[in-house]
Amino acid sequence: MSKSKPLAFIVAALSYSFFLFSSSPKSHYHELFLSDSFSDNASVALNLRTLTRRPHVAGTVANAEAAAYVRSVLTSYALKSHVVTYQVSLTYPVHRSLVLTPTESAKPITFLLEQEQAGDNPYANEVMPTFHGYAKSGNVSGPVVYANYGRVEDFLRLKKDMGVNVSGAVVIARYGQIYRGDIVKNAYEAGAVGAVIYTDKRDYGGDQWFPASKWMPPSGVQVGTVYNGLGDPTTPGWASVDGCERLSDEAVELSGDVPLIPSLPVSAADAEVILKTVVGDVGDGDVYPVGPGPGILNLSYTGETVIAQIENVIGVIEGEEEPDRYLILGNHRDAWTFGAVDPNSGTAVLLEIAQRLDKLQKRGWKPRRTIILCNWDAEEYGLIGSTEWVEENREMLTSRAVAYLNVDCAVSGPGFHASATPQLDELIKIAAQEVRDPDNATQTIYDSWIGSSNSVVIGRLGGGGSDYASFVQHVGVPGVDMSFGGGYPVYHSMYDDFTWMEKFGDPMFQRHVAMASVLGLVALRLADEEILPFNYTSYALELKKSAEDLENEKLGHNIDVYPLIKSIEDLSTAAQYINIEKEAVKGALKVRELNDRLMMAERALTDRDGLSERPWYKHLIYGPSKYDDYGSKSFPGVDDAIDNAKKLNTKASWEYVQHQIWRVSRAIRQASLVLKGELR
């Protein structure tokens, strides 16, 4: 290893300089794409206003109308468009009740469970009652126990450090650290009979609130799904087409992906009343009273499960030289309420990109590879629209998809963020150097990025938070996800509307325009470059860091990380040699063969058996944490095995950790062989 370091450095530097300064025959069109004459913040604002006029939950008439609007816009831009429908299992609230008995002698308090209207939105009365998607129906009562953020460590602290018994209790926990479905699951596993999740003013509130400021009003409620799977729960692994096989309700419950105790989301104001009945007043510091009781909560929820039609809107620009290679851009359309940030800021960006591509076509541009623009449905319930489409087209995507670029909450404020599979890191950085920062026209997005606290940190796509999951984690398609701003206070509440965006998220809609520029430029380079702009040297470096982190855990029990380190060294060598090949390759067939190796190397990091106990997730490098679906893990199978071994501490459990390390090592070695393109 040490002898090859100087050579590795030189090769990497040469390949990077080639990557940076090579020019595409279509670079003139890429410059046009970024020009002021091509961008249109007025149309962005118009599209966003139209899409967010009414609440549009998946399966409703309003969301079907939004789908028709998206298709009409794509058609107006001369894109071939069509709608792909699926019949999927969705849930809606029928009855909700939450009653608090502060003490045995006190009068019960019945909560209204309503968000108060703020501002003058004429369609506020159409917002669906607050609920959790796929929540279990039931009527339960128990003493209140406060469980902080509802993480595994929070429940362990209650049990081991504080001696609090959660069995038979109704847990109250706050949003902010992990996925809400995992809060409910963790509460169930701790013995709770129900769960209430609230929006804590310390995380989401301020002295003033919307519409006077960006903060969540005291009555605001974050709704959302508590389903722990992806796709239609009744069709795990196959598409929900007409007449398809479906699991029974009993089989769905046995799958472990739907919650087994009822839950409700509540506001900060309601939570404060509840917490005041838990052994003392709510404190202003980090320590809240925990209970149990003496307050008793009665939680009653009845949901309706229906098979509803959802609609993915697909637009296609066929490639000229390689029509059978697909560059896919995606965003979802459905929202829990008005969805100005989540997700329709992303929809507006997608339509802005479509408009600019139409202008390029009128100037004579045609992409080398086919570009597919996808507007997904039912993402909020569990990434359903994108997952069903990926499952239906799995084999085609496996052999033809170059990359998937996702934009969800495109704009919620200032500050650029990107996540990706690592071979796309350099492409993102270079694109960010070519687009002006919408908040400081004297510098580029990249300049602002390197000067921020998030200095050129590119996240990874192991979490299950958006529609990239099926592409990356199930099929092994390289992926990107981008946004301006991070978490925002009115997330998944009725206040996420056009007024909030216009006043606080992006008053001039320049951040939307900038997002369309940087994401669109990445798309154009992937669609047009003769040689795919993938850099697997970056991948090897990222894996090396993750392997070193694993090694530094000093697990003992004869755990040997060397097979993993050796496989990463082999990947680094293969990446260096294919970078050299890029500079010398000539001839259409040889270029095609080299591109196929670059494209298929990511697929090699998947395993047909998937993660242990989570076989749908095929990617062995990036996947969600077992205890937080939003959390991204490197080597998720190894991580799961380590957690299990620490609990059981048996010889067999530690041997299984070693087995998982070997599995990852073999997958990385397969990727190296694909990059080399040689049979042994």
Side-chain angles (χ1 to χ4, degrees), residues 182 185 228 257 462 473-474 607 609-619 623-629 631 633 635-641:
D182 287 308
K185 183 178 181 181
N228 281 298
D257 288 330
Q473 299 160 16
H474 189 60
D607 183 284
D609 294 329
L611 300 180
S612 176
E613 300 181 12
R614 298 187 288 164
W616 186 90
Y617 296 97
K618 307 297 184 186
H619 208 288
S625 163
K626 194 171 185 178
Y627 304 103
D628 176 16
D629 193 58
K633 289 289 184 181
F635 316 140
V638 176
D639 192 69
D640 289 349

PDB file of all heavy atoms in Angstrom, residues 182 185 228 257 462 473-474 607 609-619 623-629 631 633 635-641:
ATOM      1  N   ASP A 182     -40.136   5.552  13.757  1.00  0.00           N
ATOM      2  CA  ASP A 182     -39.232   4.875  14.688  1.00  0.00           C
ATOM      3  C   ASP A 182     -39.520   5.279  16.127  1.00  0.00           C
ATOM      4  O   ASP A 182     -39.292   4.489  17.052  1.00  0.00           O
ATOM      5  CB  ASP A 182     -37.779   5.167  14.313  1.00  0.00           C
ATOM      6  CG  ASP A 182     -37.364   4.432  13.053  1.00  0.00           C
ATOM      7  OD1 ASP A 182     -37.551   3.210  12.998  1.00  0.00           O
ATOM      8  OD2 ASP A 182     -36.872   5.080  12.115  1.00  0.00           O
ATOM      9  N   LYS A 185     -42.317   2.962  16.991  1.00  0.00           N
ATOM     10  CA  LYS A 185     -41.788   1.597  17.106  1.00  0.00           C
ATOM     11  C   LYS A 185     -40.986   1.430  18.391  1.00  0.00           C
ATOM     12  O   LYS A 185     -41.125   0.425  19.109  1.00  0.00           O
ATOM     13  CB  LYS A 185     -40.908   1.286  15.896  1.00  0.00           C
ATOM     14  CG  LYS A 185     -40.360  -0.134  15.869  1.00  0.00           C
ATOM     15  CD  LYS A 185     -39.545  -0.373  14.617  1.00  0.00           C
ATOM     16  CE  LYS A 185     -39.001  -1.791  14.569  1.00  0.00           C
ATOM     17  NZ  LYS A 185     -38.177  -2.012  13.351  1.00  0.00           N
ATOM     18  N   ASN A 228     -42.890   2.146   8.422  1.00  0.00           N
ATOM     19  CA  ASN A 228     -41.444   1.923   8.423  1.00  0.00           C
ATOM     20  C   ASN A 228     -40.935   1.208   7.183  1.00  0.00           C
ATOM     21  O   ASN A 228     -39.755   0.833   7.126  1.00  0.00           O
ATOM     22  CB  ASN A 228     -41.031   1.139   9.672  1.00  0.00           C
ATOM     23  CG  ASN A 228     -40.945   2.038  10.892  1.00  0.00           C
ATOM     24  OD1 ASN A 228     -40.159   2.968  10.951  1.00  0.00           O
ATOM     25  ND2 ASN A 228     -41.805   1.783  11.867  1.00  0.00           N
ATOM     26  N   ASP A 257     -43.620  -3.579   9.530  1.00  0.00           N
ATOM     27  CA  ASP A 257     -43.402  -2.231   9.006  1.00  0.00           C
ATOM     28  C   ASP A 257     -44.503  -1.246   9.375  1.00  0.00           C
ATOM     29  O   ASP A 257     -44.325  -0.034   9.232  1.00  0.00           O
ATOM     30  CB  ASP A 257     -43.248  -2.268   7.480  1.00  0.00           C
ATOM     31  CG  ASP A 257     -41.925  -2.867   7.048  1.00  0.00           C
ATOM     32  OD1 ASP A 257     -40.951  -2.734   7.794  1.00  0.00           O
ATOM     33  OD2 ASP A 257     -41.875  -3.466   5.953  1.00  0.00           O
ATOM     34  N   GLY A 462     -28.018   7.222   2.452  1.00  0.00           N
ATOM     35  CA  GLY A 462     -28.409   6.005   3.150  1.00  0.00           C
ATOM     36  C   GLY A 462     -29.750   6.117   3.839  1.00  0.00           C
ATOM     37  O   GLY A 462     -30.368   5.101   4.151  1.00  0.00           O
ATOM     38  N   GLN A 473     -30.855   2.445  -2.984  1.00  0.00           N
ATOM     39  CA  GLN A 473     -30.784   1.373  -2.001  1.00  0.00           C
ATOM     40  C   GLN A 473     -31.383   0.057  -2.471  1.00  0.00           C
ATOM     41  O   GLN A 473     -31.070  -0.998  -1.908  1.00  0.00           O
ATOM     42  CB  GLN A 473     -31.472   1.824  -0.710  1.00  0.00           C
ATOM     43  CG  GLN A 473     -30.812   3.046  -0.086  1.00  0.00           C
ATOM     44  CD  GLN A 473     -31.718   3.785   0.867  1.00  0.00           C
ATOM     45  OE1 GLN A 473     -32.744   3.267   1.310  1.00  0.00           O
ATOM     46  NE2 GLN A 473     -31.360   5.018   1.193  1.00  0.00           N
ATOM     47  N   HIS A 474     -32.245   0.097  -3.481  1.00  0.00           N
ATOM     48  CA  HIS A 474     -32.867  -1.132  -3.979  1.00  0.00           C
ATOM     49  C   HIS A 474     -32.228  -1.635  -5.275  1.00  0.00           C
ATOM     50  O   HIS A 474     -32.017  -2.828  -5.439  1.00  0.00           O
ATOM     51  CB  HIS A 474     -34.359  -0.899  -4.199  1.00  0.00           C
ATOM     52  CG  HIS A 474     -35.145  -2.136  -4.507  1.00  0.00           C
ATOM     53  ND1 HIS A 474     -35.228  -3.203  -3.641  1.00  0.00           N
ATOM     54  CD2 HIS A 474     -35.883  -2.483  -5.595  1.00  0.00           C
ATOM     55  CE1 HIS A 474     -35.980  -4.155  -4.174  1.00  0.00           C
ATOM     56  NE2 HIS A 474     -36.388  -3.739  -5.363  1.00  0.00           N
ATOM     57  N   ASP A 607     -26.520  -6.456  -3.076  1.00  0.00           N
ATOM     58  CA  ASP A 607     -26.507  -7.909  -2.877  1.00  0.00           C
ATOM     59  C   ASP A 607     -27.946  -8.398  -2.972  1.00  0.00           C
ATOM     60  O   ASP A 607     -28.843  -7.809  -2.367  1.00  0.00           O
ATOM     61  CB  ASP A 607     -25.916  -8.241  -1.504  1.00  0.00           C
ATOM     62  CG  ASP A 607     -25.797  -9.736  -1.271  1.00  0.00           C
ATOM     63  OD1 ASP A 607     -26.839 -10.363  -0.993  1.00  0.00           O
ATOM     64  OD2 ASP A 607     -24.682 -10.273  -1.357  1.00  0.00           O
ATOM     65  N   ASP A 609     -29.540 -10.734  -1.655  1.00  0.00           N
ATOM     66  CA  ASP A 609     -30.179 -11.114  -0.392  1.00  0.00           C
ATOM     67  C   ASP A 609     -30.511  -9.910   0.481  1.00  0.00           C
ATOM     68  O   ASP A 609     -31.286 -10.023   1.431  1.00  0.00           O
ATOM     69  CB  ASP A 609     -29.272 -12.070   0.393  1.00  0.00           C
ATOM     70  CG  ASP A 609     -29.106 -13.396  -0.322  1.00  0.00           C
ATOM     71  OD1 ASP A 609     -30.054 -13.813  -1.028  1.00  0.00           O
ATOM     72  OD2 ASP A 609     -28.033 -14.009  -0.191  1.00  0.00           O
ATOM     73  N   GLY A 610     -29.919  -8.760   0.194  1.00  0.00           N
ATOM     74  CA  GLY A 610     -30.213  -7.548   0.934  1.00  0.00           C
ATOM     75  C   GLY A 610     -29.691  -7.566   2.364  1.00  0.00           C
ATOM     76  O   GLY A 610     -28.913  -8.443   2.758  1.00  0.00           O
ATOM     77  N   LEU A 611     -30.132  -6.586   3.131  1.00  0.00           N
ATOM     78  CA  LEU A 611     -29.722  -6.494   4.524  1.00  0.00           C
ATOM     79  C   LEU A 611     -30.465  -7.533   5.359  1.00  0.00           C
ATOM     80  O   LEU A 611     -31.610  -7.884   5.071  1.00  0.00           O
ATOM     81  CB  LEU A 611     -30.014  -5.096   5.080  1.00  0.00           C
ATOM     82  CG  LEU A 611     -29.335  -3.916   4.380  1.00  0.00           C
ATOM     83  CD1 LEU A 611     -29.729  -2.605   5.063  1.00  0.00           C
ATOM     84  CD2 LEU A 611     -27.824  -4.076   4.386  1.00  0.00           C
ATOM     85  N   SER A 612     -29.819  -8.006   6.392  1.00  0.00           N
ATOM     86  CA  SER A 612     -30.430  -8.995   7.277  1.00  0.00           C
ATOM     87  C   SER A 612     -31.695  -8.426   7.908  1.00  0.00           C
ATOM     88  O   SER A 612     -31.688  -7.316   8.454  1.00  0.00           O
ATOM     89  CB  SER A 612     -29.433  -9.385   8.372  1.00  0.00           C
ATOM     90  OG  SER A 612     -30.024 -10.266   9.294  1.00  0.00           O
ATOM     91  N   GLU A 613     -32.804  -9.180   7.809  1.00  0.00           N
ATOM     92  CA  GLU A 613     -34.119  -8.783   8.318  1.00  0.00           C
ATOM     93  C   GLU A 613     -34.717  -7.609   7.560  1.00  0.00           C
ATOM     94  O   GLU A 613     -35.844  -7.193   7.854  1.00  0.00           O
ATOM     95  CB  GLU A 613     -34.061  -8.459   9.822  1.00  0.00           C
ATOM     96  CG  GLU A 613     -33.610  -9.633  10.688  1.00  0.00           C
ATOM     97  CD  GLU A 613     -33.597  -9.277  12.164  1.00  0.00           C
ATOM     98  OE1 GLU A 613     -34.140  -8.213  12.537  1.00  0.00           O
ATOM     99  OE2 GLU A 613     -33.045 -10.069  12.948  1.00  0.00           O
ATOM    100  N   ARG A 614     -33.990  -7.056   6.582  1.00  0.00           N
ATOM    101  CA  ARG A 614     -34.509  -5.953   5.757  1.00  0.00           C
ATOM    102  C   ARG A 614     -34.104  -6.206   4.303  1.00  0.00           C
ATOM    103  O   ARG A 614     -33.362  -5.438   3.711  1.00  0.00           O
ATOM    104  CB  ARG A 614     -33.963  -4.611   6.243  1.00  0.00           C
ATOM    105  CG  ARG A 614     -34.379  -4.259   7.663  1.00  0.00           C
ATOM    106  CD  ARG A 614     -33.952  -2.853   8.032  1.00  0.00           C
ATOM    107  NE  ARG A 614     -32.517  -2.728   8.233  1.00  0.00           N
ATOM    108  CZ  ARG A 614     -31.863  -1.579   8.257  1.00  0.00           C
ATOM    109  NH1 ARG A 614     -32.506  -0.445   8.060  1.00  0.00           N
ATOM    110  NH2 ARG A 614     -30.558  -1.541   8.463  1.00  0.00           N
ATOM    111  N   PRO A 615     -34.587  -7.312   3.730  1.00  0.00           N
ATOM    112  CA  PRO A 615     -34.069  -7.757   2.425  1.00  0.00           C
ATOM    113  C   PRO A 615     -34.387  -6.838   1.260  1.00  0.00           C
ATOM    114  O   PRO A 615     -33.737  -6.933   0.215  1.00  0.00           O
ATOM    115  CB  PRO A 615     -34.725  -9.135   2.237  1.00  0.00           C
ATOM    116  CG  PRO A 615     -35.961  -9.088   3.094  1.00  0.00           C
ATOM    117  CD  PRO A 615     -35.585  -8.250   4.282  1.00  0.00           C
ATOM    118  N   TRP A 616     -35.387  -5.951   1.403  1.00  0.00           N
ATOM    119  CA  TRP A 616     -35.680  -5.027   0.304  1.00  0.00           C
ATOM    120  C   TRP A 616     -34.504  -4.104   0.042  1.00  0.00           C
ATOM    121  O   TRP A 616     -34.256  -3.699  -1.098  1.00  0.00           O
ATOM    122  CB  TRP A 616     -36.937  -4.214   0.638  1.00  0.00           C
ATOM    123  CG  TRP A 616     -37.420  -3.345  -0.481  1.00  0.00           C
ATOM    124  CD1 TRP A 616     -38.311  -3.670  -1.458  1.00  0.00           C
ATOM    125  CD2 TRP A 616     -37.013  -1.992  -0.745  1.00  0.00           C
ATOM    126  NE1 TRP A 616     -38.489  -2.608  -2.310  1.00  0.00           N
ATOM    127  CE2 TRP A 616     -37.703  -1.569  -1.894  1.00  0.00           C
ATOM    128  CE3 TRP A 616     -36.131  -1.111  -0.121  1.00  0.00           C
ATOM    129  CZ2 TRP A 616     -37.555  -0.301  -2.431  1.00  0.00           C
ATOM    130  CZ3 TRP A 616     -35.980   0.154  -0.657  1.00  0.00           C
ATOM    131  CH2 TRP A 616     -36.689   0.549  -1.789  1.00  0.00           C
ATOM    132  N   TYR A 617     -33.773  -3.743   1.101  1.00  0.00           N
ATOM    133  CA  TYR A 617     -32.603  -2.871   0.970  1.00  0.00           C
ATOM    134  C   TYR A 617     -31.419  -3.701   0.487  1.00  0.00           C
ATOM    135  O   TYR A 617     -30.861  -4.506   1.235  1.00  0.00           O
ATOM    136  CB  TYR A 617     -32.270  -2.200   2.308  1.00  0.00           C
ATOM    137  CG  TYR A 617     -33.341  -1.268   2.797  1.00  0.00           C
ATOM    138  CD1 TYR A 617     -34.281  -1.700   3.731  1.00  0.00           C
ATOM    139  CD2 TYR A 617     -33.420   0.037   2.326  1.00  0.00           C
ATOM    140  CE1 TYR A 617     -35.277  -0.842   4.183  1.00  0.00           C
ATOM    141  CE2 TYR A 617     -34.409   0.898   2.773  1.00  0.00           C
ATOM    142  CZ  TYR A 617     -35.336   0.456   3.696  1.00  0.00           C
ATOM    143  OH  TYR A 617     -36.320   1.306   4.137  1.00  0.00           O
ATOM    144  N   LYS A 618     -31.032  -3.494  -0.758  1.00  0.00           N
ATOM    145  CA  LYS A 618     -29.999  -4.326  -1.384  1.00  0.00           C
ATOM    146  C   LYS A 618     -28.599  -3.733  -1.272  1.00  0.00           C
ATOM    147  O   LYS A 618     -27.614  -4.455  -1.427  1.00  0.00           O
ATOM    148  CB  LYS A 618     -30.326  -4.526  -2.869  1.00  0.00           C
ATOM    149  CG  LYS A 618     -31.723  -5.065  -3.163  1.00  0.00           C
ATOM    150  CD  LYS A 618     -31.938  -6.457  -2.599  1.00  0.00           C
ATOM    151  CE  LYS A 618     -33.307  -7.006  -2.990  1.00  0.00           C
ATOM    152  NZ  LYS A 618     -33.588  -8.304  -2.326  1.00  0.00           N
ATOM    153  N   HIS A 619     -28.498  -2.437  -1.057  1.00  0.00           N
ATOM    154  CA  HIS A 619     -27.189  -1.770  -1.079  1.00  0.00           C
ATOM    155  C   HIS A 619     -26.461  -2.040   0.230  1.00  0.00           C
ATOM    156  O   HIS A 619     -26.994  -1.782   1.314  1.00  0.00           O
ATOM    157  CB  HIS A 619     -27.383  -0.265  -1.272  1.00  0.00           C
ATOM    158  CG  HIS A 619     -26.240   0.422  -1.953  1.00  0.00           C
ATOM    159  ND1 HIS A 619     -25.030   0.631  -1.338  1.00  0.00           N
ATOM    160  CD2 HIS A 619     -26.118   0.938  -3.201  1.00  0.00           C
ATOM    161  CE1 HIS A 619     -24.219   1.266  -2.172  1.00  0.00           C
ATOM    162  NE2 HIS A 619     -24.863   1.461  -3.315  1.00  0.00           N
ATOM    163  N   GLY A 623     -27.509   2.623   3.492  1.00  0.00           N
ATOM    164  CA  GLY A 623     -28.870   2.248   3.836  1.00  0.00           C
ATOM    165  C   GLY A 623     -29.265   2.929   5.120  1.00  0.00           C
ATOM    166  O   GLY A 623     -28.431   3.487   5.837  1.00  0.00           O
ATOM    167  N   PRO A 624     -30.563   2.895   5.448  1.00  0.00           N
ATOM    168  CA  PRO A 624     -31.024   3.577   6.662  1.00  0.00           C
ATOM    169  C   PRO A 624     -30.627   2.830   7.928  1.00  0.00           C
ATOM    170  O   PRO A 624     -30.480   1.610   7.931  1.00  0.00           O
ATOM    171  CB  PRO A 624     -32.544   3.605   6.497  1.00  0.00           C
ATOM    172  CG  PRO A 624     -32.844   2.435   5.614  1.00  0.00           C
ATOM    173  CD  PRO A 624     -31.674   2.297   4.692  1.00  0.00           C
ATOM    174  N   SER A 625     -30.473   3.591   8.977  1.00  0.00           N
ATOM    175  CA  SER A 625     -30.258   2.995  10.290  1.00  0.00           C
ATOM    176  C   SER A 625     -31.483   2.178  10.671  1.00  0.00           C
ATOM    177  O   SER A 625     -32.613   2.548  10.377  1.00  0.00           O
ATOM    178  CB  SER A 625     -30.026   4.094  11.330  1.00  0.00           C
ATOM    179  OG  SER A 625     -30.194   3.607  12.636  1.00  0.00           O
ATOM    180  N   LYS A 626     -31.263   1.066  11.319  1.00  0.00           N
ATOM    181  CA  LYS A 626     -32.372   0.208  11.733  1.00  0.00           C
ATOM    182  C   LYS A 626     -33.287   0.917  12.709  1.00  0.00           C
ATOM    183  O   LYS A 626     -34.476   0.597  12.825  1.00  0.00           O
ATOM    184  CB  LYS A 626     -31.821  -1.068  12.366  1.00  0.00           C
ATOM    185  CG  LYS A 626     -32.831  -2.190  12.535  1.00  0.00           C
ATOM    186  CD  LYS A 626     -32.154  -3.477  12.960  1.00  0.00           C
ATOM    187  CE  LYS A 626     -33.144  -4.624  13.007  1.00  0.00           C
ATOM    188  NZ  LYS A 626     -32.479  -5.899  13.366  1.00  0.00           N
ATOM    189  N   TYR A 627     -32.757   1.918  13.442  1.00  0.00           N
ATOM    190  CA  TYR A 627     -33.525   2.584  14.487  1.00  0.00           C
ATOM    191  C   TYR A 627     -33.874   4.025  14.135  1.00  0.00           C
ATOM    192  O   TYR A 627     -34.412   4.745  14.959  1.00  0.00           O
ATOM    193  CB  TYR A 627     -32.752   2.530  15.805  1.00  0.00           C
ATOM    194  CG  TYR A 627     -32.411   1.114  16.198  1.00  0.00           C
ATOM    195  CD1 TYR A 627     -31.127   0.612  16.032  1.00  0.00           C
ATOM    196  CD2 TYR A 627     -33.396   0.264  16.689  1.00  0.00           C
ATOM    197  CE1 TYR A 627     -30.827  -0.699  16.370  1.00  0.00           C
ATOM    198  CE2 TYR A 627     -33.101  -1.049  17.025  1.00  0.00           C
ATOM    199  CZ  TYR A 627     -31.816  -1.525  16.866  1.00  0.00           C
ATOM    200  OH  TYR A 627     -31.526  -2.829  17.182  1.00  0.00           O
ATOM    201  N   ASP A 628     -33.556   4.441  12.901  1.00  0.00           N
ATOM    202  CA  ASP A 628     -33.921   5.778  12.441  1.00  0.00           C
ATOM    203  C   ASP A 628     -33.909   5.788  10.934  1.00  0.00           C
ATOM    204  O   ASP A 628     -32.856   5.854  10.305  1.00  0.00           O
ATOM    205  CB  ASP A 628     -32.962   6.840  12.991  1.00  0.00           C
ATOM    206  CG  ASP A 628     -33.274   8.235  12.451  1.00  0.00           C
ATOM    207  OD1 ASP A 628     -34.387   8.431  11.918  1.00  0.00           O
ATOM    208  OD2 ASP A 628     -32.413   9.118  12.558  1.00  0.00           O
ATOM    209  N   ASP A 629     -35.108   5.734  10.335  1.00  0.00           N
ATOM    210  CA  ASP A 629     -35.206   5.641   8.887  1.00  0.00           C
ATOM    211  C   ASP A 629     -34.625   6.862   8.191  1.00  0.00           C
ATOM    212  O   ASP A 629     -34.218   6.792   7.039  1.00  0.00           O
ATOM    213  CB  ASP A 629     -36.669   5.461   8.468  1.00  0.00           C
ATOM    214  CG  ASP A 629     -36.813   5.048   7.019  1.00  0.00           C
ATOM    215  OD1 ASP A 629     -36.245   4.006   6.652  1.00  0.00           O
ATOM    216  OD2 ASP A 629     -37.474   5.769   6.253  1.00  0.00           O
ATOM    217  N   GLY A 631     -31.918   8.349   9.304  1.00  0.00           N
ATOM    218  CA  GLY A 631     -30.477   8.302   9.520  1.00  0.00           C
ATOM    219  C   GLY A 631     -29.766   7.499   8.451  1.00  0.00           C
ATOM    220  O   GLY A 631     -30.207   6.425   8.065  1.00  0.00           O
ATOM    221  N   LYS A 633     -26.539   5.400   7.121  1.00  0.00           N
ATOM    222  CA  LYS A 633     -25.452   4.597   7.659  1.00  0.00           C
ATOM    223  C   LYS A 633     -24.551   4.102   6.537  1.00  0.00           C
ATOM    224  O   LYS A 633     -25.017   3.680   5.484  1.00  0.00           O
ATOM    225  CB  LYS A 633     -26.008   3.390   8.423  1.00  0.00           C
ATOM    226  CG  LYS A 633     -26.671   3.745   9.753  1.00  0.00           C
ATOM    227  CD  LYS A 633     -25.650   4.164  10.778  1.00  0.00           C
ATOM    228  CE  LYS A 633     -26.274   4.420  12.129  1.00  0.00           C
ATOM    229  NZ  LYS A 633     -25.293   4.840  13.131  1.00  0.00           N
ATOM    230  N   PHE A 635     -22.217   1.018   5.625  1.00  0.00           N
ATOM    231  CA  PHE A 635     -22.193  -0.394   6.018  1.00  0.00           C
ATOM    232  C   PHE A 635     -23.345  -0.696   6.987  1.00  0.00           C
ATOM    233  O   PHE A 635     -23.132  -1.130   8.127  1.00  0.00           O
ATOM    234  CB  PHE A 635     -20.861  -0.767   6.664  1.00  0.00           C
ATOM    235  CG  PHE A 635     -19.639  -0.239   5.976  1.00  0.00           C
ATOM    236  CD1 PHE A 635     -18.563   0.249   6.699  1.00  0.00           C
ATOM    237  CD2 PHE A 635     -19.545  -0.223   4.583  1.00  0.00           C
ATOM    238  CE1 PHE A 635     -17.428   0.729   6.079  1.00  0.00           C
ATOM    239  CE2 PHE A 635     -18.413   0.254   3.941  1.00  0.00           C
ATOM    240  CZ  PHE A 635     -17.346   0.738   4.691  1.00  0.00           C
ATOM    241  N   PRO A 636     -24.595  -0.470   6.579  1.00  0.00           N
ATOM    242  CA  PRO A 636     -25.726  -0.639   7.509  1.00  0.00           C
ATOM    243  C   PRO A 636     -25.850  -2.049   8.057  1.00  0.00           C
ATOM    244  O   PRO A 636     -26.265  -2.228   9.208  1.00  0.00           O
ATOM    245  CB  PRO A 636     -26.944  -0.248   6.662  1.00  0.00           C
ATOM    246  CG  PRO A 636     -26.501  -0.421   5.236  1.00  0.00           C
ATOM    247  CD  PRO A 636     -25.050  -0.070   5.232  1.00  0.00           C
ATOM    248  N   GLY A 637     -25.516  -3.065   7.246  1.00  0.00           N
ATOM    249  CA  GLY A 637     -25.591  -4.443   7.729  1.00  0.00           C
ATOM    250  C   GLY A 637     -24.594  -4.715   8.837  1.00  0.00           C
ATOM    251  O   GLY A 637     -24.897  -5.418   9.812  1.00  0.00           O
ATOM    252  N   VAL A 638     -23.400  -4.139   8.710  1.00  0.00           N
ATOM    253  CA  VAL A 638     -22.384  -4.277   9.754  1.00  0.00           C
ATOM    254  C   VAL A 638     -22.856  -3.566  11.011  1.00  0.00           C
ATOM    255  O   VAL A 638     -22.743  -4.090  12.135  1.00  0.00           O
ATOM    256  CB  VAL A 638     -21.028  -3.703   9.286  1.00  0.00           C
ATOM    257  CG1 VAL A 638     -20.005  -3.750  10.418  1.00  0.00           C
ATOM    258  CG2 VAL A 638     -20.521  -4.468   8.067  1.00  0.00           C
ATOM    259  N   ASP A 639     -23.413  -2.384  10.830  1.00  0.00           N
ATOM    260  CA  ASP A 639     -23.888  -1.599  11.968  1.00  0.00           C
ATOM    261  C   ASP A 639     -24.991  -2.333  12.718  1.00  0.00           C
ATOM    262  O   ASP A 639     -24.993  -2.382  13.959  1.00  0.00           O
ATOM    263  CB  ASP A 639     -24.392  -0.242  11.472  1.00  0.00           C
ATOM    264  CG  ASP A 639     -24.637   0.739  12.601  1.00  0.00           C
ATOM    265  OD1 ASP A 639     -23.649   1.171  13.215  1.00  0.00           O
ATOM    266  OD2 ASP A 639     -25.800   1.060  12.855  1.00  0.00           O
ATOM    267  N   ASP A 640     -25.942  -2.920  11.977  1.00  0.00           N
ATOM    268  CA  ASP A 640     -27.016  -3.686  12.620  1.00  0.00           C
ATOM    269  C   ASP A 640     -26.445  -4.859  13.407  1.00  0.00           C
ATOM    270  O   ASP A 640     -26.889  -5.153  14.523  1.00  0.00           O
ATOM    271  CB  ASP A 640     -27.994  -4.216  11.569  1.00  0.00           C
ATOM    272  CG  ASP A 640     -28.839  -3.122  10.935  1.00  0.00           C
ATOM    273  OD1 ASP A 640     -28.827  -1.981  11.442  1.00  0.00           O
ATOM    274  OD2 ASP A 640     -29.507  -3.413   9.921  1.00  0.00           O
ATOM    275  N   ALA A 641     -25.476  -5.546  12.812  1.00  0.00           N
ATOM    276  CA  ALA A 641     -24.887  -6.720  13.467  1.00  0.00           C
ATOM    277  C   ALA A 641     -24.147  -6.332  14.743  1.00  0.00           C
ATOM    278  O   ALA A 641     -24.197  -7.058  15.748  1.00  0.00           O
ATOM    279  CB  ALA A 641     -23.949  -7.439  12.499  1.00  0.00           C
TER     280      ALA A 641
END
